[in-house]
Amino acid sequence: MIPFNKPFLTGKELHYISEAHARGQLAGDGYFTKKCNSWLEEKTGSHKALLTHSCTAALEIAAILADIQPGDEVIMPSYTFVSTANAFVLRGGVPVFVDIREDTLNIDERLIEAAITPRTKAVVPVHYAGVACEMDTIMAIARNHNLLVIEDAAQGVMATYKGRPLGSIGDLGCYSFHETKNIISGEGGALLINNPAFAERAEIIREKGTNRSQFFRGQVDKYTWVDIGSSYLPGELIAAFLWAQMEEAEAITAKRLEIWNHYHQSFEDLEASGRLRRPAIPEECRHNAHMYYLLLRDLEDRSAFITQMKEQSIDCVFHYVPLHSSGFARDKPRASAAKLELTSTLSERLVRLPLWIGLSGQQRNVIQSASSSLSS
Ligand SMILES: *Cc1c(COP(=O)(O)O)cnc(C)c1O
């Protein structure tokens, strides 16, 4: 079986984990966490980066920083992972779903303004497949209406929009280092605080609502309960693992892009013949080869494709069930009433191909010829 995903290891992970072990500090915010935070700040130009135990955690901190109160509305796509919405729902927020663009499957920036009401607090662009949303337009709308922009850049590490790293453009940005992403630590994430006004409170929320970070810097003489919060930071062993990955981030991205480009060339003829559609990358976006997907004719076509690929021992998957059509949204009139034509049709047509470092040339050829032979 050619698996859909296989986590890539650089070979240095255990070395750094044993170094962390030898240093004797295993809780969070030690030597390796600081290295990872600095790397993120240098790479993205963000004012402050804080490792978290997941992107979900980073989104939850962002929702607290945005001061989401019960009934506050947050504009986002329905075509996304559940955490994009749940982070705000946990605070009593109401996700307001907007349809996606036909080309990138990202939130359609032209539909955002019409979704704004007096209760709207924030917009959450999700950079699907590491391809940027139309951020200049989104930022301009948000500034006009006094809304925060929280980027769900879970899939966007090492990708840029007009030369700017994803996650560093909005007020806040959220990264994931889950093992299914490009740069990994098993579970893991980070919050990028681009708007300095949020920096101090973000540290406090992440450290259980205490001013412990200030205490360790010698800025206060004791630490105490000052706000709401939770334990959102990873331990040092995770950070040590992640550091090994960050050191290789350029090489990892280059290797993934090579596989992506190979797929893309392979499917050019099938796209030209109208059999399927390949991912579209706008001029201003440099993506990170987070995923390779194909858009087939319809749900039936996709199901047949996945079954036939499985028969040839190739594991292809799809996602997401749009959030507005999920079981959880069903009894929430605002969420489930959304008419999201493209979200519904595109999500049923999309299939993801295996993309991981180590996929051999031979395996790639097997996948490509298996895909092509189905396509008459
Ligand atoms: C993976 C992902 C998340 C969640 O990341 P975790 O680190 O697993 O919490 C959130 N949003 C999007 C778009 C994702 O792809």
Side-chain angles (χ1 to χ4, degrees):
M1 193 77 179
I2 300 176
F4 169 69
N5 185 46
K6 206 167 169 182
F8 172 71
L9 302 175
T10 68
K12 293 282 271 302
E13 287 83 0
L14 290 178
H15 172 75
Y16 289 136
I17 285 174
S18 74
E19 188 182 331
H21 177 260
R23 284 174 178 273
Q25 192 204 336
L26 301 176
D29 278 342
Y31 176 79
F32 283 103
T33 301
K34 290 193 179 105
K35 279 177 93 71
C36 293
N37 288 343
S38 302
W39 185 91
L40 286 167
E41 286 162 10
E42 274 160 35
K43 270 278 166 210
T44 64
S46 176
H47 173 71
K48 193 180 198 65
L50 294 172
L51 285 196
T52 55
H53 56 67
S54 62
C55 180
T56 301
L59 287 161
E60 288 181 23
I61 299 173
I64 296 173
L65 289 171
D67 194 29
I68 300 298
Q69 299 296 319
D72 285 348
E73 296 174 5
V74 182
I75 295 173
M76 64 182 69
S78 166
Y79 187 65
T80 183
F81 188 65
V82 62
S83 295
T84 316
N86 252 344
F88 298 93
V89 171
L90 276 168
R91 317 252 30 102
V94 179
V96 173
F97 298 123
V98 164
D99 210 357
I100 51 176
R101 284 165 50 145
E102 210 277 331
D103 57 351
T104 56
L105 281 55
N106 280 330
I107 190 168
D108 189 336
E109 67 280 358
R110 296 165 304 179
L111 304 175
I112 291 174
E113 204 136 32
I116 296 172
T117 77
R119 299 291 325 244
T120 310
K121 274 273 180 72
V123 182
V124 186
V126 179
H127 305 297
Y128 184 66
V131 179
C133 298
E134 182 26 50
M135 289 306 291
D136 278 352
T137 307
I138 293 171
M139 293 306 293
I141 294 168
R143 293 300 172 244
N144 270 339
H145 294 270
N146 211 10
L147 307 176
L148 290 174
V149 175
I150 298 165
E151 296 176 73
D152 183 337
Q155 303 175 11
V157 181
M158 301 295 286
T160 61
Y161 167 81
K162 298 187 179 174
R164 291 144 77 197
L166 305 192
S168 75
I169 303 166
D171 297 280
L172 299 161
C174 304
Y175 278 165
S176 175
F177 305 115
H178 187 264
E179 77 163 29
T180 52
K181 303 303 200 289
N182 290 17
I183 309 297
I184 62 173
S185 58
E187 304 282 348
L191 178 67
L192 300 186
I193 300 132
N194 309 316
N195 180 341
F198 292 116
E200 189 175 316
R201 191 166 183 228
E203 279 187 341
I204 290 169
I205 293 164
R206 175 172 166 275
E207 265 283 18
K208 301 101 182 163
T210 72
N211 55 356
R212 187 171 163 149
S213 300
Q214 291 167 317
F215 172 72
F216 281 129
R217 284 198 297 266
Q219 292 166 335
V220 291
D221 61 6
K222 58 183 181 303
Y223 85 85
T224 175
W225 186 11
V226 293
D227 203 337
I228 63 166
S230 189
S231 186
Y232 287 122
L233 65 169
E236 272 289 285
L237 299 187
I238 293 286
F241 187 109
L242 183 59
W243 177 246
Q245 296 265 322
M246 285 180 168
E247 279 191 328
E248 294 297 320
E250 300 281 352
I252 289 170
T253 309
K255 283 179 185 154
R256 294 186 69 96
L257 279 165
E258 192 207 316
I259 301 169
W260 196 99
N261 290 331
H262 180 267
Y263 274 141
H264 207 55
Q265 267 172 19
S266 304
F267 293 111
E268 193 176 356
D269 290 348
L270 288 169
E271 183 178 67
S273 73
R275 178 61 187 84
L276 50 78
R277 216 205 77 195
R278 300 180 300 165
I281 313 292
E283 191 89 56
E284 58 276 16
C285 301
R286 274 245 316 270
H287 73 100
N288 58 2
H290 174 59
M291 75 171 85
Y292 199 85
Y293 65 80
L294 297 172
L295 288 165
L296 301 176
R297 287 179 178 140
D298 51 27
L299 181 58
E300 200 183 333
D301 191 28
R302 180 181 72 183
S303 305
F305 180 91
I306 291 174
T307 306
Q308 290 176 62
M309 293 294 276
K310 205 143 265 169
E311 280 163 10
Q312 300 184 64
S313 298
I314 301 160
D315 192 19
C316 297
V317 305
F318 66 85
H319 72 175
Y320 302 104
V321 174
L323 299 180
H324 77 285
S325 63
S326 66
F328 188 76
R330 210 165 289 144
D331 58 348
K332 296 177 180 55
R334 183 81 201 265
S336 55
K339 288 262 178 306
L340 307 174
E341 199 68 44
L342 287 171
T343 299
S344 303
T345 54
L346 292 169
S347 64
E348 292 187 344
R349 293 170 53 199
L350 182 134
V351 63
R352 303 170 62 188
L353 304 186
L355 200 174
W356 39 272
I357 295 171
L359 197 62
S360 70
Q362 196 211 335
Q363 285 172 319
R364 280 187 244 171
N365 290 337
V366 170
I367 296 166
Q368 189 220 323
S369 64
S371 313
S372 309
S373 70
L374 302 174
S375 304
S376 46

